[in-house]
Amino acid sequence: MNTKFDNIIDNKWWQEIAVVAFSFTIYTLKSDWMFFSYSSSILMGLCFYLILYIHAQFNRFFLLPILFKSHRPLTYLSLTLIGVLAFSIALFEISTSEIFSKSHLYQNSHQRSYLYHLASVLGGLVSILSPIIVFKYYGIYKKQMDETLLFNQMQLNSLKVQLNPHFLFNTFNTLYGISLEFPNRTPDLIMKVSQLMRYQLESSNKQFVSLEDELSFINSYVQLEKERLDYHCEITYDCKIDNENTYKIAPMLLIAFIENSFKHGTYAIEKCFVRIIITAKNGLLHLHVVNSIPKKTDVISTKIGLKNTNERLNLIYGKNYKLDIQDDKNTYIVDLKIQLKKIVE
């Protein structure tokens, strides 16, 4: 229904019909010719409206470009004033002509004055140009919105292309590390990794996924990291949701922060920890990640994942999220809050 209505609004012929209908209604409300059944009065009224319509179209196609394209407001106002005066004089001369005197239209004295016709020309100009300008700026605004949406979608697609290989690289590094120390675990872990890759592949074509699916993916990833670390590191993962199957979230959005905590917060020499707490209450998702920071590390970070995630947050959620990152040299803290949207059944 909305698409069909938008197509009607975008059609120039329907726009012209709407302009004529609107202005003609305004014209008849201030005129008395509609109450007469005499054909001469009706024809004369239509003639008057046609003059007003021609004047407005003259202003639209010849004078408005001076204002909008040439940016010369004083020239536009001067020419508009001249046009109003010329057309109001024409209407006045017609109303005082011998042909018009036999019509039953505009018999009151004030309706036969020049000021009345001047007001008619001004009113006609406003009532006809107003919807035309509204439609014009509606088209400009819609075009800008379409271009913005297209640009945002292109950016999101570009970010996903960069983010997915980044996650794949880190996951296979994890799998490689486990296979060196615990080769007997490798087959089961390969199955877990394949499940992660399947989710990544299936979700990459979706704008949103259910919050439960995303958290299930994160849980599988955390379990994989626990296998790699073999419990040499203190890992805490706590997840609480108030209403299941209610909210949706952009896929692969939270994993970058969790990946980062394991990549830079876990090591074998020093005591280390990673704490992940996720809650969702009344549509507000709260991700709190804390990890230790080693005194010395050989891990090289490209920061692609975090950078892309920040850009995705800005593009998708705008002002509906708050991200706070703290680094005090001993611990790295990520605190993210997102106002989620509900899944529409």
Side-chain angles (χ1 to χ4, degrees):
M1 180 66 181
N2 289 336
T3 303
K4 189 179 293 185
F5 180 75
D6 289 341
N7 292 335
I8 293 175
I9 292 295
D10 292 335
N11 187 284
K12 292 184 178 181
W13 288 107
W14 282 111
Q15 290 180 5
E16 291 297 332
I17 292 173
V19 169
V20 172
F22 174 76
S23 59
F24 189 75
T25 301
I26 298 298
Y27 173 70
T28 55
L29 288 176
K30 67 95 181 175
S31 304
D32 57 4
W33 65 271
M34 71 181 93
F35 299 107
F36 295 94
S37 59
Y38 297 100
S39 59
S40 59
S41 298
I42 295 175
L43 290 175
M44 191 61 69
L46 291 174
C47 178
F48 267 49
Y49 172 77
L50 183 61
I51 294 174
L52 297 177
Y53 184 78
I54 292 173
H55 169 244
Q57 294 300 323
F58 172 80
N59 190 291
R60 171 188 180 183
F61 289 107
F62 294 99
L63 301 186
L64 274 180
I66 297 175
L67 177 63
F68 292 122
K69 295 181 179 180
S70 302
H71 307 292
R72 296 159 58 189
L74 293 178
T75 303
Y76 169 75
L77 290 175
S78 300
L79 294 176
T80 297
L81 180 60
I82 294 173
V84 168
L85 293 175
F87 275 85
S88 60
I89 291 173
L91 283 182
F92 177 73
E93 292 297 329
I94 294 174
S95 65
T96 56
S97 65
E98 184 178 351
I99 299 176
F100 189 79
S101 62
K102 298 179 180 179
S103 172
H104 295 274
L105 183 63
Y106 299 155
Q107 294 300 313
N108 294 328
S109 59
H110 73 279
Q111 293 176 329
R112 308 295 281 249
S113 66
Y114 172 74
L115 289 178
Y116 179 83
H117 294 293
L118 178 64
S120 296
V121 173
L122 284 172
L125 181 65
V126 171
S127 63
I128 295 173
L129 283 188
S130 295
I132 289 174
I133 293 175
V134 168
F135 282 128
K136 179 180 179 65
Y137 277 96
Y138 166 78
I140 294 174
Y141 175 77
K142 188 173 184 297
K143 182 180 179 181
Q144 290 176 343
M145 288 296 296
D146 290 341
E147 290 176 351
T148 301
L149 289 173
L150 180 61
F151 177 72
N152 287 349
Q153 190 60 48
M154 290 173 62
Q155 282 188 300
L156 286 175
N157 291 338
S158 175
L159 292 174
K160 285 181 180 179
V161 168
Q162 295 177 43
L163 184 62
N164 290 348
H166 179 268
F167 173 77
L168 185 65
F169 175 78
N170 287 342
T171 303
F172 275 108
N173 268 350
T174 298
L175 182 61
Y176 174 73
I178 297 173
S179 66
L180 291 178
E181 295 189 39
F182 311 100
N184 59 320
R185 295 185 188 177
T186 304
D188 292 336
L189 294 177
I190 289 176
M191 288 300 298
K192 287 185 178 180
V193 171
S194 69
Q195 292 174 356
L196 293 175
M197 295 301 103
R198 180 184 295 274
Y199 175 80
Q200 182 198 40
L201 181 63
E202 292 177 348
S203 65
S204 62
N205 295 323
K206 299 178 181 178
Q207 187 176 4
F208 292 98
V209 295
S210 70
L211 179 60
E212 284 69 27
D213 289 344
E214 185 73 4
L215 294 181
S216 176
F217 166 75
I218 290 174
N219 179 66
S220 298
Y221 179 79
V222 172
Q223 297 307 315
L224 182 66
E225 289 290 352
K226 283 184 177 181
E227 292 283 352
R228 177 176 70 90
L229 297 169
D230 194 31
Y231 303 100
H232 292 154
C233 181
E234 177 194 343
I235 300 176
T236 304
Y237 178 68
D238 186 25
C239 181
K240 295 180 181 178
I241 308 174
D242 59 352
N243 294 317
E244 294 185 358
N245 300 316
T246 303
Y247 305 107
K248 60 184 179 180
I249 188 172
M252 304 291 294
L253 189 65
L254 307 179
I255 192 64
F257 300 112
I258 296 171
E259 272 187 286
N260 190 67
S261 66
F262 282 106
K263 183 178 180 181
H264 301 284
T266 58
Y267 33 90
I269 300 177
E270 304 173 31
K271 185 179 180 180
C272 60
F273 65 87
V274 174
R275 299 173 189 140
I276 305 167
I277 301 174
I278 301 176
T279 60
K281 186 176 182 181
N282 297 325
L284 181 65
L285 175 74
H286 186 190
L287 171 68
H288 187 75
V289 182
V290 184
N291 64 267
S292 53
I293 299 178
K295 294 180 181 178
K296 295 182 180 180
T297 179
D298 296 328
V299 177
I300 299 175
S301 175
T302 61
K303 297 184 179 180
I304 293 176
L306 291 177
K307 179 182 177 182
N308 287 351
T309 301
N310 281 327
E311 292 184 15
R312 289 185 70 203
L313 282 167
N314 286 326
L315 287 171
I316 298 172
Y317 292 100
K319 297 181 180 180
N320 294 323
Y321 86 95
K322 183 178 180 181
L323 176 62
D324 182 29
I325 297 179
Q326 301 178 24
D327 184 355
D328 62 3
K329 297 183 179 181
N330 294 318
T331 57
Y332 190 84
I333 303 173
V334 173
D335 196 79
L336 173 65
K337 295 180 180 178
I338 304 176
Q339 189 62 50
L340 301 176
K341 294 181 180 180
K342 289 187 175 182
I343 298 175
V344 179
E345 298 293 343

